Amino acid sequence: MDDDSVFYKKLPKVEVHAHLNGSVSAQTMEKLIQRKPHLNIERNMTAIGKGQRRTLDECFEVFKLIHKLVDTEEDIHTVATDVIKEFAVDNVKYLELRSTPREEKGTGLTKKSYVEAVIKAIQQCKYDGVDIDVRFLVAIDRRNGTEVAMETVKLAEEFMLSSGGLVLGIDLSGDPKVGHGRCLLPALERARNCGLKLSLHMSEVSSQLEESELLLNLPPDRIGHGTFLHPEMGGSQPLVDQVVKHNIPLEICLTSNVKGKTVPSYSQHHFRYWYQLGHPCVICTDDKGVFCTDLSQEYQLAASTFSLSPDAVWELSERAVDCIFAGEAVKQQLKQKWTEIKPGLLK
Ligand SMILES: CNc1ncnc2c1ncn2[C@@H]1O[C@H](COP(=O)(O)O)[C@@H](O)[C@H]1O
Ligand SMILES: [Zn+2]
């Protein structure tokens, strides 16, 4: 590893946009493939390598394959444990994982046991002394419609109350070309009213203007992507004004957007627009397994593409702490960690 990469690796980081099944590493994928050889799935079918790009539709085909490989409580526990440890090795000090609870009739997996398996993995890592604070967001897959969204919120509510602060909120994700946010509003409003935080994928593709307006009125606590919100991308100034007025942080996933072809190149990424506005932006991975990246690499790409100095990179990672869903005490602990690490890293 060269000196430059070492800096990004050592940089303490916060990750708030990581889909569990999109984050499964090559090593873990090998384990899963060995457990289920009859599926005939090969590692190269579940990841998009260096220099490769796919359409977003093709990315969603990849998730279908991964879901076949991860369909028991044991699988969920394995992937959650491995993903948490990998983020910890990458010096991520605080992680919000998100995942869509799935039921699998064949294996007896239920949505409830799915969430329990993730929570057990988080607790086990904590018990084992893995140096990372992990929380969980329960994901709504937009394609499943009104009723499933409402059930998911109820499940999240239950776990928010019983998980000792591990379940903090709701993620809205899934294929952006399917379904409409309008149908999901009652569930999202319920979530907000019962104290669940909201991180919503918004304007990941163009032509979602009307939906974005609707969702922004909630308003969400964070926005995933927001690629097409601003006027230069076919969005609108009132949308930008609304995001700025409510100071809603953007979760920025550079490689995901470039490899998924919603953004033409790193240098044309909307991070530039929002960063120049001074708006809170959090660098994230989205799906580190599928897109073959890690958070250190994403910070390094942001720095090299947008000419950020080491001080600016440090500030970016430190300010991410303000955008987490955990409460003030956790933020203070993290800030303390950043303060302790800084002198050894920035001379
Ligand atoms: C690339 N951009 C993206 N846009 C929208 N949703 C995405 C996504 N990447 C991942 N997901 C969502 O996360 C699920 C996989 O993890 P889990 O099974 O939930 O852990 C996908 O099925 C999709 O719903
Ligand atoms: Zn995402």
Side-chain angles (χ1 to χ4, degrees):
M1 204 185 289
D2 57 48
D3 286 357
D4 203 31
S5 303
V6 171
F7 171 77
Y8 296 97
K9 179 101 182 171
K10 285 191 175 168
L11 183 73
K13 292 170 287 288
V14 160
E15 168 68 82
V16 294
H17 189 139
H19 300 272
L20 178 60
N21 286 297
S23 301
V24 180
S25 65
Q27 293 89 314
T28 306
M29 208 51 90
E30 285 300 331
K31 277 194 248 180
L32 297 167
I33 289 171
Q34 274 176 19
R35 280 183 199 173
K36 299 184 175 75
H38 57 279
L39 291 177
N40 286 323
I41 297 175
E42 287 166 27
R43 162 68 191 148
N44 63 10
M45 295 155 78
T46 62
I48 303 168
K50 201 169 161 46
Q52 291 183 332
R53 298 178 72 186
R54 304 275 172 88
T55 63
L56 211 48
D57 290 342
E58 290 168 317
C59 296
F60 283 99
E61 290 303 314
V62 173
F63 293 124
K64 280 189 198 155
L65 283 183
I66 299 175
H67 285 159
K68 283 189 186 169
L69 282 167
V70 184
D71 70 348
T72 67
E73 276 171 47
E74 191 194 355
D75 295 337
I76 308 286
H77 191 273
T78 302
V79 298
T81 305
D82 288 4
V83 165
I84 290 168
K85 288 183 178 166
E86 287 152 7
F87 274 114
V89 166
D90 196 31
N91 269 316
V92 171
K93 301 297 180 196
Y94 175 91
L95 164 67
E96 279 170 24
L97 263 184
R98 51 183 79 189
S99 194
T100 326
R102 253 180 307 131
E103 179 183 87
E104 295 285 350
K105 293 249 156 56
T107 68
L109 183 70
T110 65
K111 292 187 180 183
K112 194 167 179 177
S113 66
Y114 186 108
V115 178
E116 278 165 356
V118 177
I119 289 179
K120 275 188 199 146
I122 296 174
Q123 288 167 335
Q124 185 66 43
C125 285
K126 193 170 176 180
Y127 183 79
D128 292 344
V130 184
D131 181 22
I132 184 169
D133 186 335
V134 186
R135 310 293 166 134
F136 187 54
L137 310 182
V138 182
I140 295 174
D141 185 332
R142 47 184 296 138
R143 108 191 119 133
N144 295 332
T146 312
E147 277 171 34
V148 175
M150 190 59 91
E151 271 172 35
T152 308
V153 168
K154 288 181 184 162
L155 188 70
E157 232 177 300
E158 263 178 51
F159 279 102
M160 177 180 69
L161 299 172
S162 67
S163 66
L166 294 184
V167 172
L168 294 176
I170 290 286
D171 154 57
L172 172 63
S173 55
D175 189 340
K177 294 189 190 114
V178 182
H180 198 289
R182 192 189 305 118
C183 315
L184 309 170
L185 275 182
L188 296 173
E189 276 165 1
R190 179 181 173 133
R192 185 199 56 199
N193 293 340
C194 77
L196 286 159
K197 300 278 189 183
L198 298 179
S199 168
L200 311 181
H201 283 61
M202 274 176 47
S203 283
E204 186 179 3
V205 295
S206 58
S207 78
Q208 284 186 302
L209 266 191
E210 188 207 332
E211 179 186 286
S212 295
E213 268 168 37
L214 219 55
L215 295 178
L216 272 181
N217 281 330
L218 281 161
D221 298 283
R222 285 197 314 253
I223 292 170
H225 306 298
T227 313
F228 293 89
L229 284 174
H230 65 92
E232 289 164 32
M233 292 293 282
S236 75
Q237 195 57 43
L239 281 180
V240 172
D241 293 344
Q242 181 96 336
V243 175
V244 170
K245 184 175 101 189
H246 293 290
N247 201 32
I248 311 171
L250 254 63
E251 300 159 355
I252 300 288
C253 312
L254 298 170
T255 299
S256 162
N257 296 157
V258 171
K259 285 195 170 176
K261 290 194 193 168
T262 56
V263 167
S265 69
Y266 285 100
S267 63
Q268 290 171 82
H269 196 278
H270 54 286
F271 171 75
R272 190 193 296 278
Y273 176 91
W274 292 95
Y275 186 73
Q276 279 174 355
L277 275 186
H279 191 78
C281 292
V282 187
I283 304 286
C284 301
T285 54
D286 209 7
D287 300 290
K288 73 174 180 60
V290 171
F291 298 118
C292 302
T293 189
D294 61 30
L295 194 54
S296 298
Q297 195 176 324
E298 294 301 301
Y299 269 89
Q300 189 165 8
L301 280 164
S304 62
T305 310
F306 304 104
S307 309
L308 307 181
S309 67
D311 284 320
V313 172
W314 179 272
E315 198 174 311
L316 202 53
S317 94
E318 194 170 31
R319 291 216 172 150
V321 173
D322 298 321
C323 306
I324 68 172
F325 286 167
E328 219 31 60
V330 176
K331 288 182 185 169
Q332 287 312 320
Q333 282 165 17
L334 291 169
K335 294 259 174 177
Q336 181 61 32
K337 251 187 196 164
W338 262 244
T339 306
E340 285 161 16
I341 295 170
K342 192 171 184 179
L345 201 58
L346 282 181
K347 300 278 161 16

